[in-house]
Amino acid sequence: GCKLEQVFKSFERESMGSASIGQCHRAELLDGRSVVVKVMRPNAERLFRGDLDTLDTFCKLAQPHICPVFDEFRRQFATEFNYTREAANLHLMRGSLSSKWQTTVCIPEPIDSLCTKNVLVMEYLPGVKLVDAMQEQAQREADRRGVTV
């Protein structure tokens, strides 16, 4: 809980991307490093759990054999709502990257001192997003074969 000016030289209020539980903003730290700030949406976890509870209640009435699936969803998504765990996973992935991939795949380094359960700050990596590169590669291959993606 500190003011943006205490941490960032600049902070783009408009998000550079968003997903169901959060959104990302470009920023510059006071020391000049370019970063991405991933911010969890307010009440995202509570709303998600409420939606699962609603589906679970419905399934208990309509199709009880599906109910165990929702317990598994709860377990799997428990880590999604904690950005400090995501930062730890980024460190793990960076350390596990084989030397074969280190020159072609980059994983951003989290700034641990600025990460919380609801905020993840990591280095900004310019370049093509992995999903975009994969789509471009698929399109090139489809073009080569004369088919559509």
Side-chain angles (χ1 to χ4, degrees):
C2 57
K3 294 183 179 185
L4 290 177
E5 309 80 53
Q6 294 175 307
V7 178
F8 303 105
K9 188 183 295 184
S10 65
F11 187 95
E12 293 182 12
R13 300 262 179 201
E14 189 168 326
S15 70
M16 61 185 288
S18 62
S20 57
I21 69 166
Q23 58 188 32
C24 295
H25 299 267
R26 289 271 318 261
E28 184 180 351
L29 296 176
L30 294 175
D31 65 11
R33 287 181 288 171
S34 292
V35 294
V36 172
V37 182
K38 187 174 178 181
V39 181
M40 193 176 300
R41 295 183 192 283
N43 301 313
E45 185 173 10
R46 183 182 59 77
L47 294 171
F48 178 79
R49 291 185 189 286
D51 288 348
L52 276 182
D53 289 343
T54 300
L55 288 169
D56 190 45
T57 300
F58 173 76
C59 282
K60 284 177 182 171
L61 297 172
Q63 300 199 5
H65 64 283
I66 296 177
C67 290
V69 170
F70 294 105
D71 292 333
E72 183 60 24
F73 281 159
R74 279 187 186 85
R75 279 191 295 280
Q76 292 296 320
F77 280 95
T79 60
E80 294 293 317
F81 295 100
N82 187 334
Y83 287 163
T84 54
R85 283 194 197 133
E86 187 170 336
N89 287 335
L90 286 170
H91 283 299
L92 181 65
M93 289 171 52
R94 286 172 56 86
S96 300
L97 214 83
S98 72
S99 59
K100 174 183 175 184
W101 296 104
Q102 286 179 344
T103 58
T104 55
V105 176
C106 296
I107 296 171
E109 182 176 5
I111 315 298
D112 292 324
S113 62
L114 300 176
C115 295
T116 67
K117 182 180 185 294
N118 297 311
V119 176
L120 173 63
V121 180
M122 60 193 136
E123 71 176 316
Y124 171 74
L125 297 175
V128 179
K129 293 179 186 176
L130 180 60
V131 68
D132 294 340
M134 292 173 69
Q135 287 174 338
E136 289 171 14
Q137 179 62 34
Q139 185 62 58
R140 282 194 298 273
E141 184 62 23
D143 292 347
R144 187 182 71 75
R145 295 179 182 199
V147 297
T148 58
V149 178

